[in-house]
Amino acid sequence: MDNLQGSRPAAHVWRTTALVTAGLLLAMSGLLLFAFSTQRIRFMSAAERHALIARELPPASPARLEHQLAADLPYATKVASQGKTLAVNVDLSAASKSDLTYRKLSRIFAQALSAVHESGYQDLDEVTLSASYPLAGQAGAPTQTTVATVTLDSDALKKFSWKHILRCDVFEATKRYRFHPMIDRSPPGQAISQNR
């Protein structure tokens, strides 16, 4: 009894606390080593995530093309496919009117064509690209209006260098295009008629 009364309980508490702390530090060190080892979790980049989703979608399908267009263009798009013909409409509601020029539309359509090619469509008879924009109608309320359209047949599609498609003038590859009167249709150094 005298020995029990003589022992100091505070010493046991400190010793227990030190052992628990050392155990926790050891466990934390093990977790940190595991986290920074070669087995650690790595976050996927947007490009990797896009490639993974694209692989899951069947090639040359509207779903894959819509996914590719969403990755390549900052605008909403609609895809219609029938046999070997394809139609892509780009909704330019997010663009300002001052941005709607020949050069801008040519670049947007080149990006859309690149997405068509990247999504697996290789042997098409015809591709029609159109761009729509909300313009004030007769009642004054904005209505979605087609401001540019270009139709490319299989011969025109074969002319493109797909590696350099983003630098191509899509309108010059075909004679079948139309512009709304609001579009500045004059590319640098060229005069363009309304319906070529």
Side-chain angles (χ1 to χ4, degrees):
M1 286 279 231
D2 291 338
N3 285 342
L4 287 174
Q5 291 176 350
S7 68
R8 293 186 275 165
H12 294 294
V13 172
W14 285 109
R15 191 175 316 142
T16 304
T17 304
L19 287 172
V20 169
T21 304
L24 286 173
L25 286 174
L26 187 61
M28 293 291 285
S29 298
L31 286 172
L32 286 173
L33 285 173
F34 176 76
F36 289 103
S37 71
T38 56
Q39 303 296 324
R40 71 178 183 268
I41 296 172
R42 187 175 70 79
F43 292 105
M44 221 184 267
S45 71
E48 290 170 325
R49 187 169 49 253
H50 167 70
L52 184 64
I53 294 170
R55 272 190 300 233
E56 298 297 319
L57 298 170
S61 67
R64 185 160 180 174
L65 177 55
E66 286 171 356
H67 176 75
Q68 190 71 39
L69 286 164
D72 293 352
L73 285 170
Y75 307 107
T77 56
K78 287 182 185 175
V79 175
S81 174
Q82 185 176 9
K84 289 192 165 198
T85 63
L86 191 66
V88 178
N89 179 264
V90 181
D91 182 355
L92 299 176
S93 297
S96 67
K97 286 184 185 180
S98 62
D99 286 338
L100 298 183
T101 61
Y102 178 99
R103 181 180 283 182
K104 175 87 171 181
L105 289 167
S106 180
R107 187 168 49 247
I108 289 169
F109 285 166
Q111 288 174 308
L113 269 183
S114 175
V116 167
H117 185 73
E118 290 295 317
S119 62
Y121 286 99
Q122 305 291 323
D123 187 28
L124 291 167
D125 290 339
E126 188 175 274
V127 176
T128 300
L129 305 171
S130 60
S132 57
Y133 187 83
L135 294 175
Q138 291 179 354
T143 58
Q144 205 67 8
T145 306
T146 300
V147 293
T149 304
V150 63
T151 302
L152 301 143
D153 60 15
S154 58
D155 291 336
L157 292 169
K158 288 174 187 170
K159 291 179 187 177
F160 288 114
S161 167
W162 293 104
K163 288 182 181 179
H164 306 291
I165 184 66
L166 298 180
R167 287 183 262 166
C168 292
D169 186 334
V170 175
F171 300 113
E172 285 300 311
T174 183
K175 304 297 183 194
R176 297 167 62 191
Y177 61 86
R178 290 186 185 152
F179 291 104
H180 189 276
M182 73 166 281
I183 302 295
D184 176 10
R185 292 172 288 135
S186 302
Q190 294 182 8
I192 300 296
S193 63
Q194 186 167 356
N195 288 324
R196 249 178 114 157

